Amino acid sequence: MGSLSQQNEVECKEKTEYANVNWDELEFALTKTDYMYVMNFTQDDGKFSQGTIARFGNIELCPSSGILNYGQGLFEGLKAYRKEDEGILLFRPQENALRMKIGADRMCMPSPTVEQFIDAVKKTVLANKRWVPPHRKGSLYIRPLLMGTGQNLGVKPASEYTFLVYASPVGSYNKAELNLMVEDKVHRATPGGTGGVKAVTNYSPVYKPLTQARAKGFSDVLFLDALTGSNIEEGSACNIFFLKGNVISTPIADGTILPGITRKSIMELASGFGYQVEERVVPLEEALDAEEVFCTGTAMVVKSVASITYQGKRIEYKLGAETVAQKLHATLTGIQTGGIEDKLGWTMAIA
Ligand SMILES: *Cc1c(COP(=O)(O)O)cnc(C)c1O
């Protein structure tokens, strides 16, 4: 018994080792960490196998690889949080693994199994443990990539694939106000397209309207549906919610909207708070008439929208400590960081 308590004492005294980072100044940007995880699929094996942790660094690709030539690739994004007692939690990693499987099917790629995905994420976080920010100082953002590698000149699925996971400590996504501009010329997604999966090819096509909107002082664009141009879809990398009275509505994710895991979690929390949560078509006029608007995504978690501008007309929404967005943010980040009991089984303790 004496030796057991002695051992506990030694463990308590052992200080957590942290990387040399100014945790208070972290933004949503890459800080290179020590390791990454790499696992390959070859036609001979017929499956992903022999994944390994490697030093973080540049990778070699054949100039004719599928990812470089035809954009055959997917990404994911999730976070690891440090609890007050230094333990580390992942937030709903199974959801990211399943979303990657669905995306891989759409992009004609083989996918790691859910178990392989979670194992890779865990190993990446544990290998980079000193980069997981202290409790409430940010999080370790984890970026899994699935890409067609090998050689591939013809327009067809690649013969080899690589699943790679890297990570970076991040702070608050963006401390500035969220001012959105409705984009009525460029569309992000079309029915039958790939808007509903995290294909790498969905992002650079929106750089043009996004850059133009940012030059005018907006934080992001808000896309409309490509068929009618009259319904709200989402931002360039976040989902959106509208509150009026006791109703919280969000555009239905049926192929042209990325089904966010934060979105799904927020819908559950808001229902639990007694709001009537509606997943449906949200016409632009209704959105402009909302009392409160907020965006969701792994990077920003939940963030109030200060204004939406449509054809030069700017509508402002409720901000501040009394908003529903603030309440949802506090609850979700509380669960993610272990401060609020996780009754829904969303977190996974890995250290
Ligand atoms: C990743 C992403 C989101 C948010 O999804 P989360 O799972 O909540 O991070 C929303 N919209 C787009 C277009 C995205 O790429």
Side-chain angles (χ1 to χ4, degrees), residues 75-77 96 99 188 195 198 203 234-239 258-263 296-299:
F75 71 96
E76 266 304 329
N96 296 88
R99 189 166 67 188
R188 176 187 173 272
K198 265 178 131 61
Y203 299 85
E234 61 175 321
S236 55
C238 59
N239 296 115
L258 198 286
I261 295 157
T262 320
R263 172 183 180 274
T296 64
T298 296

Side-chain angles (χ1 to χ4, degrees), residues 182-196:
V182 176
E183 171 56 55
D184 54 6
K185 288 180 191 71
V186 174
H187 295 286
R188 176 187 173 272
T190 50
T194 59

Side-chain angles (χ1 to χ4, degrees), residues 82-350:
R82 206 182 281 270
K83 295 196 295 173
E84 199 165 11
D85 70 2
E86 303 283 346
I88 297 174
L89 297 177
L90 291 177
F91 185 71
R92 309 187 82 173
Q94 307 88 334
E95 295 288 334
N96 296 88
L98 288 168
R99 189 166 67 188
M100 179 165 268
K101 271 180 86 85
I102 293 166
D105 181 63
R106 178 65 182 84
M107 301 296 282
C108 275
M109 296 193 281
S111 167
T113 64
V114 171
E115 293 71 34
Q116 284 177 318
F117 181 102
I118 294 174
D119 179 61
V121 167
K122 270 189 201 171
K123 285 187 171 135
T124 308
V125 175
L126 294 179
N128 293 303
K129 202 171 163 189
R130 67 193 190 102
W131 299 94
V132 182
H135 182 63
R136 290 266 170 201
K137 293 279 186 193
S139 56
L140 186 72
Y141 182 79
I142 305 149
R143 173 54 65 85
L145 294 174
L146 180 62
M147 52 199 166
T149 45
Q151 53 183 55
N152 186 52
L153 194 55
V155 179
K156 64 171 195 295
S159 54
E160 289 175 30
Y161 294 86
T162 297
F163 175 64
L164 188 155
V165 185
Y166 69 92
S168 169
V170 295
S172 164
Y173 183 68
N174 189 349
K175 289 172 184 95
E177 261 186 14
L178 210 47
N179 292 293
L180 308 181
M181 193 195 92
V182 176
E183 171 56 55
D184 54 6
K185 288 180 191 71
V186 174
H187 295 286
R188 176 187 173 272
T190 50
T194 59
V197 300
K198 265 178 131 61
V200 298
T201 44
N202 289 343
Y203 299 85
S204 53
V206 310
Y207 288 174
K208 190 157 188 175
L210 189 59
T211 304
Q212 287 166 348
R214 288 197 173 142
K216 290 183 202 149
F218 295 101
S219 352
D220 198 355
V221 287
L222 197 48
F223 291 106
L224 299 174
D225 75 293
L227 278 189
T228 70
S230 55
N231 304 314
I232 299 280
E233 296 220 307
E234 61 175 321
S236 55
C238 59
N239 296 115
I240 192 160
F241 288 78
F242 303 91
L243 174 118
K244 185 149 190 183
N246 191 48
V247 177
I248 294 180
S249 52
T250 192
I252 184 165
D254 58 3
T256 55
I257 291 168
L258 198 286
I261 295 157
T262 320
R263 172 183 180 274
K264 185 174 176 176
S265 307
I266 285 300
M267 289 198 296
E268 285 192 53
L269 290 180
S271 295
F273 286 158
Y275 290 95
Q276 186 179 323
V277 178
E278 298 180 357
E279 199 184 3
R280 56 172 169 79
V281 169
V282 180
L284 177 60
E285 303 86 72
E286 188 188 317
L288 298 177
D289 191 41
E291 290 156 13
E292 200 189 310
V293 180
F294 52 89
C295 286
T296 64
T298 296
M300 64 170 67
V301 190
V302 182
K303 196 167 161 56
S304 288
V305 171
S307 73
I308 297 181
T309 299
Y310 176 59
Q311 295 183 339
K313 189 166 174 247
R314 179 183 160 111
I315 318 277
E316 294 182 347
Y317 305 98
K318 189 175 171 184
L319 294 175
E322 299 303 307
T323 54
V324 176
Q326 192 47 52
K327 187 173 157 187
L328 289 166
H329 181 274
T331 306
L332 186 54
T333 55
I335 295 170
Q336 288 169 332
T337 57
I340 295 178
E341 191 196 347
D342 173 21
K343 293 186 187 131
L344 298 153
W346 285 347
T347 57
M348 181 184 279
I350 60 164

